[in-house]
Amino acid sequence: MSDYLKSMPDREGFFGNYGGAMLPPPLEPHFAEIRAAYDKLSKSGDFLHELRYIRKHFQGRPTPISYLKNLSELAGGAQIYAKREDLNHTGAHKLNHCMAEGLLAKFMGKTKLIAETGAGQHGVALATAAAYFGLECEIHMGEVDMAKEAPNVTRMKLLGATVVPVGEGAKTLKEAVDSAFGSYIAQADTALFGIGSVVGPHPFPMMVRDFQKVVGLESREQFMEMTGELPDIVAACVGGGSNAMGLFSGFIDDEGVALYGVEPMGTSSKLGDHAATLTYGVDGAIHGFATKVLLDENGEPAPVNTLASGLDYPGVGPEHAHLQSTGRVTYTSADDKESLNAFYELSRREGIIPALESAHALAFALREAKNHPGKSILINLSGRGDKDIDFVTETYGFGE
Ligand SMILES: *Cc1c(COP(=O)(O)O)cnc(C)c1O
């Protein structure tokens, strides 16, 4: 196993200065139970064997790498490749950790999965895992998001989940997190909280990274097989940071591979117009762990904005804050406009409609390619864009 991955995080869940677990006292014993269970299961042949079986026979792994020939020609310079997480069952990388969380719940003897969801992508993936394992599923979602993302609400209900509407405050993600956590505290004896990215209190940032690592391990092998070399540049979009940590995990010990995280710059670099936490954030804490956060003038989490609702978070996974501080990963950004352009170009020139989140990584590749003639760029195409087509075409048309 990778030297880096073995050494991070420490026993308390710290990646350098970031991470840890700041828990309300009633949750401390439950998180101790999760840590102990994961310590044991991550070394258990039965757990890993079943996870491998699920990845192959239910999720459809390994997902391929595609060479984006037409886009590489358009960009001029580096050759661009995409890891096709859009071809994972349910259409995004999120199922990689949701299936593992479901399996963890099963091994722990829990009967229910609880989580919040913003745009509904995490809720759908977790509801899928719950259906597979015969677990109950309770998803908290703001009423504003429920109206905006009605098809995902329908999907979750078809999959057998209970969707709890949250009517407090702005009726979006933050309120949904509070509501889901409240419900989890009341049911933690029988339920597991299913966190949707490499965020939250220890051990979730580590577990979710471990569950997403399959993306990076497959990619390294596939890229070598395709080209005989390692990629020069590896890039992924960063919301909470799970698809990026998954891909980076495969290359983190390869010093010759440059790693780039791409944050959403929204409509401008003014606070409130973007969600570029690592670019503009400060050291702080959010949702029970230490990381970089975007704060408003009162020291509260700032409002964030991006076309890609899956990147809409004023915090970021603690491991990314650490990797930024060590310089191993460079964090940059793509704004709404160039990401939308990348969305249209990949659709029209390659026959792949990407999620708006993934379009941020692609926008970076298109912009950067001309600076690296003869080199290669591998991006994580974290999800498919079916969920975005109505919004994009109704708001912006079909692109010129
Ligand atoms: C949720 C989501 C993301 C953002 O989450 P990360 O944890 O940053 O990976 C990116 N792409 C897609 C398709 C998503 O659904």
Side-chain angles (χ1 to χ4, degrees):
M1 184 163 116
S2 145
D3 293 341
Y4 169 84
L5 296 177
K6 245 187 317 202
S7 69
M8 285 285 163
D10 69 14
R11 291 291 304 168
E12 270 69 54
F14 279 92
F15 304 86
N17 295 325
Y18 304 101
M22 293 163 244
L23 294 163
L27 279 185
E28 274 169 18
H30 297 291
F31 270 72
E33 184 199 356
I34 298 170
R35 285 197 302 273
Y38 184 66
D39 265 354
K40 196 163 135 232
L41 289 172
S42 59
K43 297 172 197 105
S44 136
D46 285 352
F47 182 84
L48 298 173
H49 182 268
E50 187 155 349
L51 196 54
R52 263 197 296 273
Y53 179 93
I54 291 166
R55 300 241 190 266
K56 180 166 178 192
H57 297 288
F58 182 66
Q59 292 184 227
R61 304 205 68 89
T63 58
I65 285 179
S66 297
Y67 169 46
L68 306 180
K69 178 167 179 291
N70 301 328
L71 275 195
S72 300
E73 272 168 22
L74 174 78
Q79 305 303 316
I80 305 172
Y81 296 79
K83 175 63 169 167
R84 299 292 306 279
E85 289 304 294
D86 60 315
L87 295 177
N88 212 2
H89 177 46
T90 74
H93 73 287
K94 284 200 173 72
L95 202 65
N96 298 331
H97 61 253
C98 286
M99 291 308 292
E101 287 175 344
L103 188 62
L104 176 65
K106 194 89 186 167
F107 270 74
M108 289 176 76
K110 305 289 184 187
T111 57
K112 190 174 196 173
L113 293 171
I114 299 179
E116 78 291 336
T117 193
Q121 296 302 106
H122 175 55
V124 169
L126 203 67
T128 300
Y132 181 95
F133 291 109
L135 300 165
E136 288 177 70
C137 187
E138 180 185 306
I139 303 292
H140 295 246
M141 190 169 185
E143 286 175 353
V144 168
D145 289 333
M146 285 180 71
K148 246 165 80 181
E149 309 288 348
N152 276 343
V153 176
T154 305
R155 283 188 189 101
M156 286 185 271
K157 288 182 178 169
L158 278 172
L159 292 162
T162 303
V163 181
V164 180
V166 180
E168 279 84 41
K171 306 177 191 181
T172 61
L173 182 62
K174 189 189 164 295
E175 292 76 24
V177 175
D178 296 339
S179 171
F181 241 87
S183 180
Y184 171 61
I185 291 178
Q187 305 178 69
D189 285 335
T190 54
L192 180 68
F193 201 87
I195 290 184
S197 186
V198 285
V199 298
H202 179 61
F204 279 93
M206 171 182 77
M207 287 199 308
V208 172
R209 175 195 73 190
D210 290 352
F211 298 152
Q212 288 293 344
K213 195 171 62 184
V214 64
V215 176
L217 298 182
E218 282 177 13
S219 294
R220 192 176 191 284
E221 207 178 298
Q222 291 169 321
F223 198 90
M224 287 292 281
E225 193 187 301
M226 274 177 101
T227 70
E229 295 169 2
L230 287 173
D232 297 297
I233 293 173
V234 165
C237 66
V238 177
S242 64
N243 88 87
M245 267 331 300
L247 185 62
F248 294 171
S249 291
F251 301 96
I252 197 124
D253 288 337
D254 297 312
E255 278 169 30
V257 178
L259 304 176
Y260 283 86
V262 185
E263 297 197 298
M265 194 49 75
T267 48
S268 92
S269 60
K270 200 164 112 277
L271 190 69
D273 283 354
H274 62 80
T277 308
L278 289 161
T279 310
Y280 291 113
V282 294
D283 285 356
I286 187 168
H287 293 141
F289 63 103
T291 187
K292 291 266 184 198
V293 273
L294 289 169
L295 297 177
D296 67 14
E297 60 281 6
N298 303 317
E300 294 293 319
V304 279
N305 171 57
T306 153
L307 274 185
S309 38
L311 303 179
D312 219 352
Y313 187 55
V316 66
E319 191 163 14
H320 288 290
H322 170 65
L323 290 169
Q324 180 186 44
S325 75
T326 65
R328 176 64 187 96
V329 181
T330 305
Y331 293 88
T332 176
S333 59
D335 65 17
D336 283 355
K337 204 165 156 232
E338 52 185 338
S339 303
L340 195 61
N341 177 57
F343 173 93
Y344 287 126
E345 295 289 10
L346 189 71
S347 302
R348 179 159 316 151
R349 293 178 194 266
E350 298 284 353
I352 304 169
I353 303 174
L356 284 172
E357 291 79 8
S358 325
H360 284 70
L362 189 65
F364 163 79
L366 290 175
R367 183 177 79 205
E368 203 58 28
K370 52 181 109 29
N371 301 326
H372 305 277
K375 304 275 169 135
S376 58
I377 303 180
L378 171 67
I379 63 146
N380 199 357
L381 198 67
S382 52
R384 67 179 181 224
D386 302 44
K387 67 184 179 59
D388 299 314
I389 57 176
D390 289 343
F391 166 75
V392 167
T393 54
E394 281 161 22
T395 316
Y396 303 98
F398 287 83
E400 289 347 301

